[in-house]
Amino acid sequence: MQNCTRNGCGQSYDPAANDPMSCQYHPGKPEFHEGLKGWTCCKPRVHSFDDFLEIGGCKLGPHSNEPKHKDDPFKADLTQYDDVLPEPQPAATQAAAAATPVAAAARAPEPELIDEDPAGAIVAAGAKCKRNGCNAEFVSVDQSQGADQCQFHPGRAVFHEGTKGWTCCKPRATDFDEFMHIKGCARGRHLFIGTRAVVQAQTEKCRRDFYQMANDVIVSVYAKKIQRDASSVEFHGDSVQLHLEYGDGKVYDDTIQLYAAIDPAASSFEFLSTKAELKLAKAAPAQWPALERE
């Protein structure tokens, strides 16, 4: 098995089964502007870095494992930061050091809470570690749940004046690929499940936006990890009815009363990793000033 290096993919794949449409990726570059994050190749923009990493690829093609830095394959190792990057310390050691009076006086932000998997948790084979900076997959208890097997960043991503890094350590990069390769500054156990509470009930509607062309209107309804088998989209002449089950037990039901008529038979939808994308075929090629009628 090989790991795909295309932006937005990162999956493991079998070269023998690598067909021309197996990879969903971003051909463009990351773009961060005025607090919004996205890719130059497509329109979705988000505020959170975690949401940015979940933006589904906008192009299909075969997987690739070619280095992103073809002219200098070692550039992404960030060896230029070795002089300021300390040897990774166990998370417990970092927490103890942060509790000393000197460290407490020096630090401004509150220390990051480090989540852990519950004792005896059953993890599915192939599950990915959720910690920042670690992409390890679960193999077995012995190989994947040792005390110091995870090298990660306990802090948050920070972007300031063109540089990118983590709140927990000093290295800074100007290139996004280099930022993604900054080595973790702490060690601990992998996090495949976590114990932090998850909000089960939906408290607000899913965010959505749209753009249009002469004959179509493209609507994006943002919801992560949509359960395809349990979700549905129904097109009617003047409305769209949505039922999305997503995340951890969340449900979104809505009926969009459209500004103008559509052709239900020619309309379509697709469930992506972070959204449902609807393609509405206009009944007449006219400009819509809004998505919904008043």
Side-chain angles (χ1 to χ4, degrees), residues 103-237:
R107 75 179 188 275
E110 291 294 323
E112 301 291 340
L113 296 176
I114 299 177
D115 198 8
E116 299 288 350
D117 283 343
I122 299 176
V123 183
K128 287 191 174 182
C129 180
K130 298 180 179 181
R131 297 201 191 281
N132 292 326
C134 180
N135 293 312
E137 295 184 358
F138 181 83
V139 178
S140 67
V141 173
D142 292 337
Q143 297 184 49
S144 305
Q145 292 186 324
D148 295 317
Q149 291 181 343
C150 181
Q151 184 173 347
F152 66 102
H153 292 288
R156 292 170 284 109
V158 58
F159 304 95
H160 181 65
E161 295 182 351
T163 63
K164 305 166 182 65
W166 299 91
T167 56
C168 50
C169 54
K170 293 182 179 180
R172 293 294 182 266
T174 55
D175 180 79
F176 182 76
D177 289 337
E178 291 183 348
F179 161 72
M180 293 298 290
H181 284 81
I182 295 177
K183 296 177 181 178
C185 58
R187 285 191 183 276
R189 297 181 184 274
H190 290 298
L191 180 70
F192 297 107
I193 299 175
T195 57
R196 291 181 183 172
V198 177
V199 177
Q200 296 295 326
Q202 180 182 322
T203 57
E204 59 183 352
K205 287 187 175 182
C206 293
R207 182 173 64 88
R208 68 177 186 230
D209 58 29
F210 81 101
Y211 65 94
Q212 60 186 301
M213 297 172 284
N215 298 309
D216 303 297
V217 177
I218 309 300
V219 182
S220 294
V221 181
Y222 294 95
K224 294 181 182 177
K225 301 178 182 177
I226 297 175
Q227 299 176 27
R228 291 169 169 80
D229 295 339
S231 302
S232 62
V233 177
E234 296 181 10
F235 298 107
H236 304 282

Side-chain angles (χ1 to χ4, degrees), residues 47 83 141:
H47 294 277
D83 58 334
V141 173

Side-chain angles (χ1 to χ4, degrees), residues 99-107:
T100 63
V102 174
R107 75 179 188 275

Side-chain angles (χ1 to χ4, degrees), residues 202 206 208 221 223 225-236 240-246 249-256 269 271 275-276 278:
Q202 180 182 322
C206 293
R208 68 177 186 230
V221 181
K225 301 178 182 177
I226 297 175
Q227 299 176 27
R228 291 169 169 80
D229 295 339
S231 302
S232 62
V233 177
E234 296 181 10
F235 298 107
H236 304 282
V240 178
Q241 187 171 351
L242 298 101
H243 173 77
L244 304 180
E245 296 187 17
Y246 66 101
K250 296 182 181 180
V251 177
Y252 170 62
D253 288 298
D254 194 15
T255 299
I256 305 175
F269 69 91
F271 293 143
K275 65 180 180 179
L278 320 179

Side-chain angles (χ1 to χ4, degrees), residues 215 237 260-263 280-286 288:
N215 298 309
I262 63 171
D263 180 354
L280 311 179
K282 296 178 180 178
W288 291 14

